Amino acid sequence: MMPGIEGTELCRRIRSRQRVPYQYILLLTANNDKQDVVRGLEAGAEDYLTKPFEPSELRARLTVGKRILALQRDLIQAREELRFQATHDALTGIWNRGALLNLLHRELERALRSKNTTCILMLDLDHFKNVNDTHGHLAGDAVLKEVARRVVQVVRAYDFV
């Protein structure tokens, strides 16, 4: 009943964009036929409310929508944290071996395609075992973190450490 477009069509268009973060859609309409409700939900709406409506019911349904969106936000954050943990060293925060080998493989393929060179630098901390043996593993961890921080600080933004 909107000018130029029906609510269900607008809903379909919004869903076809597949935006992140998710957009919660509540259809508010004068159409109260069960088939209209079904069409609205099938078009991608999460909820459907008919006019005339009770303001307290609308508030309650919007509160449910806020809860759903908050849960989605928490899930996205948890997924990103897990993704980071799966690809980065827990101590230093730099890429872990598996992720680094994957990145290296892609970089070597890219260099081959573009006929460019690739430089790989491997660092070895001389006498590092002595740090652990003399000062303990916590001191050794601090050294590793500091070395990683300094290397990340001096390389280009598009380099992998």
Side-chain angles (χ1 to χ4, degrees):
M1 296 194 157
M2 295 186 305
I5 189 170
E6 290 186 11
T8 53
E9 178 57 27
L10 179 60
C11 213
R12 279 189 200 90
R13 289 183 188 180
I14 291 170
R15 287 294 172 247
S16 71
R17 293 182 179 175
Q18 299 178 352
R19 293 246 169 113
V20 174
Y22 189 77
Q23 296 168 330
Y24 186 88
I25 300 173
L26 184 146
L27 290 178
L28 178 61
T29 180
N31 298 332
N32 60 2
D33 180 63
K34 287 295 178 196
Q35 280 305 104
D36 289 327
V37 173
V38 169
R39 278 192 294 277
L41 295 174
E42 286 177 344
E46 278 69 38
D47 206 348
Y48 196 100
L49 192 58
T50 58
K51 296 176 192 175
F53 64 90
E54 185 67 35
S56 60
E57 182 182 8
L58 176 59
R59 273 192 301 279
R61 290 174 185 260
L62 291 174
T63 299
V64 168
K66 286 180 180 179
R67 264 198 322 260
I68 290 171
L69 292 175
L71 286 170
Q72 186 221 19
R73 185 184 61 246
D74 293 347
L75 284 172
I76 289 171
Q77 182 179 352
R79 180 190 66 201
E80 293 308 312
E81 287 172 10
L82 287 172
R83 184 177 287 151
F84 185 86
Q85 290 172 6
T87 57
H88 290 75
D89 176 69
L91 177 67
T92 61
I94 61 176
W95 293 103
N96 66 21
R97 183 179 187 274
L100 199 55
L101 289 175
N102 186 356
L103 292 167
L104 176 61
H105 178 73
R106 288 189 356 219
E107 279 298 306
L108 291 173
E109 283 183 347
R110 186 175 64 80
L112 189 62
R113 277 192 318 271
S114 61
K115 297 183 181 5
N116 283 327
T117 58
T118 299
C119 178
I120 301 168
L121 175 65
M122 186 169 149
L123 299 175
D124 181 32
L125 302 181
D126 289 341
H127 312 293
F128 181 71
K129 184 178 179 329
N130 292 342
V131 173
N132 279 335
D133 291 346
T134 305
H135 303 288
H137 289 279
L138 288 178
D141 287 354
V143 169
L144 290 175
K145 285 194 264 187
E146 182 62 18
V147 168
R149 187 190 70 75
R150 289 183 183 199
V151 172
V152 167
Q153 188 177 8
V154 297
V155 299
R156 298 168 299 190
Y158 54 86
D159 291 331
F160 304 113
V161 177

